[in-house]
Amino acid sequence: LRTPVTVIRGLAEGVKDGLYEGKEVSDQIITETQAMQRLIKDLLELSKLEDPDFTIEKQAIELHDLLADVCRSAKPLIEPKKLALDCSIEEGLWKIQADHQRLRQMLMIILDNAVKFSPVGSSIQVSAKHNQGKVLLTITDHGEGMSEAQLKTLFVRYHTTEGNGIGLALCKKIADRHDIKIEVKSTPNNGTEFIFNIPLTKTTD
């Protein structure tokens, strides 16, 4: 929180001293306050999910519907960098007990990161296939990649050089609440692959 507060104070003092004026300063203040709002929202969400007494609302959902929603929502993210989004989803009936909005949030965090670290004109792949009562969902980019040291602290809050350091920690907590296992494969300058192992609802004949 210190960074946006410092920027806002500096801008306000500049206006007071007659150094700044006009719409540009107002726009920057709005941008900084929006960043603070996102951070506060993420911190509150993370705090809830870390509380063992907090119960999330799960219901029966069809995983294909969630993935279609995520792929649609990702399109505005990729347009500014002219990225290609390839969504390859195996057909079938994939019922899960889950909180649709929280799983959507989890996947959008990963896609947002993929876009952030992808070079202009590259591609991002989203693929999903059934495997022994589970769905293997993979999100792959061809961006900067990560070192072994970065991978070890990937889901630890504040351990990041970009963003507010909360997003991936929040992503992990949402996954844990849904018994979803996350595996990450990455090498520097060779992209990153997030693999979500999602258990399907057991059915009886």
Side-chain angles (χ1 to χ4, degrees), residues 129-166:
K129 60 182 180 180
H130 181 265
N131 182 39
Q132 298 181 343
K134 298 179 180 181
V135 169
L136 294 180
L137 170 64
T138 305
I139 299 177
T140 307
D141 68 61
H142 304 279
E144 297 179 13
M146 291 177 281
S147 66
E148 285 292 331
Q150 288 174 308
L151 286 172
K152 288 179 180 178
T153 59
L154 189 61
F155 296 110
V156 180
R157 67 172 77 186
Y158 310 129
H159 280 264
T160 181
T161 57
E162 296 286 342
N164 59 44
I166 296 294

Side-chain angles (χ1 to χ4, degrees), residues 5-63:
V5 168
T6 300
V7 173
I8 291 169
R9 178 172 178 173
L11 291 169
E13 289 177 346
V15 171
K16 179 181 177 181
D17 295 338
L19 299 176
Y20 308 128
E21 61 180 21
K23 183 175 181 297
E24 185 176 345
V25 174
S26 298
D27 289 344
Q28 186 60 40
I29 290 174
I30 290 170
T31 297
E32 296 297 334
T33 54
Q34 287 173 337
M36 289 178 66
Q37 288 174 326
R38 286 193 297 270
L39 174 56
I40 291 167
K41 180 181 177 182
D42 286 350
L43 282 169
L44 290 172
E45 284 288 294
L46 187 58
S47 178
K48 287 179 184 177
L49 291 168
E50 288 180 334
D51 181 357
D53 294 326
F54 176 72
T55 303
I56 63 175
E57 298 295 328
K58 293 182 181 180
Q59 58 184 340
I61 67 172
E62 167 49 50
L63 191 54

Side-chain angles (χ1 to χ4, degrees), residues 60-124:
I61 67 172
E62 167 49 50
L63 191 54
H64 287 87
D65 295 337
L66 171 65
L67 296 178
D69 180 10
V70 168
C71 287
R72 280 194 305 270
S73 299
K75 289 181 180 179
L77 296 178
I78 68 173
E79 288 174 357
K81 297 182 76 171
K82 296 180 172 55
L83 303 176
L85 180 65
D86 176 21
C87 291
S88 177
I89 313 299
E90 186 178 83
E91 294 183 359
L93 186 64
W94 298 343
K95 293 288 186 180
I96 61 173
Q97 287 289 325
D99 182 321
H100 180 104
Q101 289 303 319
R102 291 190 187 277
L103 283 192
R104 180 184 183 279
Q105 180 184 19
M106 176 186 75
L107 297 177
M108 291 303 294
I109 287 170
I110 301 303
L111 281 167
D112 187 51
N113 273 4
V115 170
K116 185 184 299 180
F117 295 108
S118 291
V120 173
S122 62
S123 62
I124 296 172

